[in-house]
Amino acid sequence: MPHHHSPGHDEAFVGPDEVARVVADGEIALDFVAEVVGMLDHPVRRVLDIGSGPGVATVELARLLPGAEVVAIDASESMVDAVIERADRAGVGARVSARVAELPGGLDGLDDIDLVWASMSLHHVSDERAAIREIAASLSDHGVVAIVEFGDQRRLLPPGDEELGDRVEAAYERYFAVQSQHWHGNTPSGELSDMVRDVGLDVVGDHVSVITHEPPLDEAQRRYVTSSTRRAIKQLEGYLDRSDLVALEQLASNGKRPDGTVVVSRRILLARRA
C-alpha cells in the first residue's frame, strides 16, 4: 500500500527494500492501468503520473501508449531515481521523465496533459480539493484524469484463515481513520466525485474494479503477499491483537511460501473538462 505526499515521505521511502516493496504493490495491480487505457477515446500525447512511486505504472503507461511522453512526479527522491532506472531498463527512457514534486503546488509548468494518472496518492495529499483543482487546470481540452483509490476490499486473505483477513481489514479501517487526521489536518476533504465536480470536471466513469489472484501464486504475487504482510505488521501494531500479529509474522517469515488468495480492489474514477 504505497503512501505518497505526506511529511517525511522520503524518509519512509528510502533504500532498495522500500523500492522493492512498492514495486511489488504496483506489479500486482498492473491490470488497472490497462483497464483505464482501454477506456480512453482520444489520442494521448502527454501523460502525468502523480505519486508515481518507483514507476511501475509510469513505465506501463509508456508501454501501452507508445506515442506519448510520460512525466512522473513523486515526493520521494528515492522513488524518482527508481522511475528513471526502471524506464531505462524497459527501453522507454527517452519518453519518460521524473521529478521530485508533490501536491498541491507541484504542477508548475505541467499543462496540456491528455491523461493524468493519480493512483493511491490523492488520499495522502494535505489538501485534496486544492490538488484536484490543480490537476484540472493541467488538463488539455480533451484531457482525462484517472483517480484510482481504495475499493471495497484491500487485503490479502491468509491461507485457510478468512476470519484473520476480516480482522486485518477492520484494523486497517481504524488505522486509516487515524492516519487521515495527520494527512489532512484541518483541511476539509469530501466525497471524491463531489470534489471532482466542484472544480468543474465531469465524471465520465466511476466504478470498483477487482483483481483476484488465486493460488498457486507466481513469484511476483508471493513477493507482494510477503511485503504487504510485513508492512501490515508495522502499521497495525496497536490496532490488531498480538495473536493476529504473530499469525501475520508467521506468514511473512523467512522460509514461508505464502499461497493464499490475493484480492486487490480499486475504485477508478474518470473525469474530464466539462
Side-chain angles (χ1 to χ4, degrees), residues 89-105:
R89 288 197 307 271
V92 297
R95 293 187 290 112
V96 172
S97 62
R99 66 177 72 174
V100 176
E102 57 185 313
L103 295 180

Side-chain angles (χ1 to χ4, degrees), residues 2 27 44 52 57 68 71 74 90-92 109-110 117 161 163 175 177 206 264:
E27 289 180 342
V44 176
S52 64
V71 180
D74 197 278
V92 297
L110 292 172
W117 172 265
D161 196 345
E163 291 184 359
Y175 169 82
D206 188 359
V264 185

